[in-house]
Amino acid sequence: MGASRNRLPTLFEVLSRRTLPPVDLFSFFIYMRDQQRSLDYLDFWLDVSQHLSLCRHFVRELRRSVLVSTPEMHGIDGDRVSGHNALEIPDDGSDKDSDQRLSAFLRSETPEPGMARRSTGDRLDTPPTGRPSFMSSSRLDHTTQSSTVSHTVNRADVRASAEKILYTYLLRGAEREIVLPEPILQSISTAIEVDGRDDPEMFNEARDYVFQAMERDAFPGFLRSKALGNLVPASVMVRLVLGLVGMFGGFWAAFALIFLDIKPRDIRLWLILPFLVGVYCLIAHQYSLDPILGILGISEYTFMNFMKVKEPYIRRLLIKRSAWILGLTVIIVVILVCIYTFVPGRRL
């Protein structure tokens, strides 16, 4: 997992729950919701993945029921022969070839479109309303490592899952409509509503399109925010305000001490306090990284809510950047304090 990775994670690793905070799926969900404002695309990708998992579970249950319920007979040569060739049902592997065999099997078992709709019940004739985000229910728990379906799945559940994706994201005017090329939308709509398909392969093109869009438009910003920094935009703005106030206080006090020629000159050393606050906060704003939090291994996922940095490579990276920022802060503060300490006073 993250312990053996000596690099930044990829988007697929994040979506597959192979990473640890602050670059895990939960953090990416928060980033897409609060900063990128594109949560519907992430939810679509996850819902399609959940549909694929549901199809695998259905086929696994079907394979198990065939093997259990079909009596086995011994042939003349002593080999066992099943009354129904269960080997025609694909296994539930997760590689691309297995997914293609899974979709081919589901297509071969697809009933007539009219029968498929009646088998799912009248509730599927109209789009569902009030559907929450994929991650907003109990699945929001970022420690979850599997989306395994815990109950017996029938074909109506698979059909309902496919239609829910269509009604929620792809139809014009859907409650959480996402922007996809028209040919992709038309292909999926025809496959579900006309051909009666519910296999996961019909979503592949849309899923790849959304993945590439997130990888191009959202994921680089997510890495900059979480792998190279540890602050959310609200905290960054707070530090900007505190930094400006600190610098204003430092310069005001420095010029007051100089032009009032207040003695002894050692009192000017107290300028280190406002300058330290000002420089520290401004540099933290500039790099979206609080160096003290970085050294402590803490990252902010929402305003004033923190998590431990558990990804080893990210933690080492943040510690290095934090040490560099602290060093830069000390150098700038020392320069400012020395300038305003050794300038001769002159009372106006």
Side-chain angles (χ1 to χ4, degrees):
M1 204 168 165
S4 60
R5 182 171 40 246
N6 194 31
R7 56 172 175 78
L8 294 176
T10 64
L11 177 58
F12 184 76
E13 289 171 336
V14 173
L15 296 178
S16 302
R17 299 178 174 90
R18 300 176 186 174
T19 55
L20 298 172
V23 289
D24 58 335
L25 180 57
F26 175 76
S27 300
F28 189 56
F29 164 80
I30 297 295
Y31 176 82
M32 292 291 285
R33 183 193 68 185
D34 296 344
Q35 300 185 41
Q36 196 68 20
R37 308 292 184 183
S38 301
L39 182 59
D40 292 344
Y41 290 87
L42 174 61
D43 276 343
F44 170 78
W45 196 94
L46 293 173
D47 277 351
V48 172
S49 298
Q50 182 76 359
H51 178 69
L52 175 59
S53 176
L54 189 72
C55 292
R56 289 173 182 164
H57 189 77
F58 167 72
V59 171
R60 184 166 60 245
E61 290 290 327
L62 182 61
R63 184 183 182 92
R64 184 181 299 115
S65 65
V66 169
L67 292 175
V68 170
S69 62
T70 303
E72 294 176 333
M73 299 172 293
H74 289 274
I76 298 176
D77 58 355
D79 294 333
R80 292 190 297 178
V81 180
S82 172
H84 183 283
N85 187 5
L87 296 178
E88 294 178 357
I89 304 176
D91 56 30
D92 58 334
S94 58
D95 60 287
K96 186 175 181 180
D97 291 339
S98 296
D99 292 343
Q100 292 176 347
R101 291 195 301 270
L102 171 67
S103 295
F105 172 76
L106 291 175
R107 286 196 300 272
S108 68
E109 295 293 320
T110 299
E112 293 297 325
M115 294 297 294
R117 178 164 294 278
R118 287 195 295 272
S119 68
T120 60
D122 294 338
R123 71 186 190 279
L124 296 178
D125 291 337
T126 57
T129 58
R131 183 205 179 269
S133 165
F134 176 89
M135 298 280 289
S136 62
S137 62
S138 60
R139 284 174 289 187
L140 186 60
D141 179 8
H142 56 280
T143 61
T144 302
Q145 297 297 324
S146 174
S147 57
T148 303
V149 184
S150 60
H151 63 280
T152 301
V153 178
N154 55 41
R155 191 58 184 266
D157 295 326
V158 176
R159 176 73 185 179
S161 174
E163 292 198 349
K164 183 179 289 187
I165 293 173
L166 174 67
Y167 292 143
T168 304
Y169 301 103
L170 304 179
L171 291 183
R172 294 304 181 192
E175 57 174 317
R176 304 182 64 193
E177 181 183 356
I178 61 176
V179 178
L180 293 176
E182 186 62 31
I184 297 179
L185 296 174
Q186 188 62 38
S187 173
I188 297 175
S189 179
T190 301
I192 295 177
E193 296 188 316
V194 178
D195 301 334
R197 289 174 55 184
D198 53 16
D199 59 279
E201 189 173 15
M202 62 185 174
F203 294 113
N204 281 355
E205 192 173 1
R207 187 169 181 253
D208 292 342
Y209 182 92
V210 169
F211 180 88
Q212 292 171 9
M214 291 192 297
E215 190 175 43
R216 179 184 64 251
D217 299 332
F219 193 62
F222 171 70
L223 289 181
R224 284 194 299 270
S225 174
K226 299 301 179 182
L228 302 180
N230 58 10
L231 299 175
V232 299
S235 292
V236 170
M237 292 306 299
V238 168
R239 282 162 174 77
L240 174 61
V241 172
L242 292 177
L244 293 176
V245 170
M247 295 303 292
F248 174 80
F251 285 121
W252 179 84
F255 284 112
L257 292 173
I258 291 173
F259 292 117
L260 293 177
D261 195 19
I262 296 177
K263 305 292 185 178
R265 186 177 294 185
D266 293 347
I267 200 173
R268 299 185 190 179
L269 294 176
W270 288 104
L271 292 173
I272 193 173
L273 296 180
F275 280 139
L276 180 61
V277 172
V279 173
Y280 180 92
C281 290
L282 288 179
I283 294 183
H285 161 266
Q286 179 66 29
Y287 292 97
S288 297
L289 173 62
D290 188 299
I292 294 179
L293 295 180
I295 291 176
L296 294 177
I298 297 175
S299 181
E300 190 177 35
Y301 62 94
T302 59
F303 184 63
M304 298 303 293
N305 291 305
F306 303 93
M307 65 172 68
K308 292 289 293 183
V309 178
K310 297 181 180 179
E311 186 78 19
Y313 178 76
I314 301 299
R315 179 159 189 173
R316 294 195 301 269
L317 187 61
L318 289 177
I319 289 176
K320 291 179 181 178
R321 287 174 60 84
S322 298
W324 181 83
I325 289 176
L326 282 178
L328 180 62
T329 300
V330 170
I331 292 174
I332 295 176
V333 170
V334 169
I335 291 175
L336 290 173
V337 172
C338 288
I339 291 175
Y340 287 101
T341 298
F342 295 106
V343 170
R346 180 181 178 84
R347 188 174 184 87
L348 295 180

